[in-house]
Amino acid sequence: VAVSAVKGKAAVSICGWVRCIGSRKLREIFEKNPYMGEIYPGDTADALQVFCIYKAQGEYFDISDPSHVVRDGIAIGAAAAPSAGYFIEKGCTGCGVCAQACPQRCVDTSRTPAVIDQGRCLRCGRCLPLCPQKAIVRRD
């Protein structure tokens, strides 16, 4: 299953495996969300099934402060946290061209190879074509 939600300028997205648990939690869900009774009046709720996400991965992404985005991976169960993004490999010479191109200023050039802060990276890719050493790679 894939589930995405957006509120304001924050989003959560996960993709993973589910286990159907029938309707045993349905009453509790309707009690906590009374508007559901208006959507599913009478016995129409009998068509619903409740599921449990037991293994998934995804991410949280918040752009409410454009000068400082927040991004983090999510792992549920035995799933590995996602590792997508742009990464700087050992061919880096520390020239800083990537850091100058980054709109979030999330490239740390105080060490070599430089490191991209994945929690703030927009994944815009502006750094990739500018690296004279071709030391930046994109991982999906």
Side-chain angles (χ1 to χ4, degrees), residues 57 80-87 118 123 139-140:
Q57 63 178 341
S83 61
Y86 290 87
F87 296 85
Q118 297 300 315
R123 298 187 185 151
R139 295 186 197 145
D140 291 321

Side-chain angles (χ1 to χ4, degrees), residues 86-131:
Y86 290 87
F87 296 85
I88 302 173
E89 297 186 330
K90 60 183 172 183
C92 171
T93 61
C95 70
V97 171
C98 56
Q100 293 170 7
C102 180
Q104 288 297 308
R105 303 290 180 238
C106 64
V107 181
D108 178 3
T109 56
S110 67
R111 52 189 165 172
T112 304
V115 175
I116 298 172
D117 179 351
Q118 297 300 315
R120 294 182 37 227
C121 180
L122 290 175
R123 298 187 185 151
C124 66
R126 290 177 68 181
C127 57
L128 181 69
L130 299 177
C131 179

Side-chain angles (χ1 to χ4, degrees), residues 7-12 60-66 68-72 119 122:
K7 183 170 184 177
K9 295 182 179 180
V12 174
Y60 169 77
F61 190 50
D62 184 349
I63 58 169
S64 56
D65 178 357
H68 187 79
V69 300
V70 176
R71 170 179 255 143
D72 199 6
L122 290 175

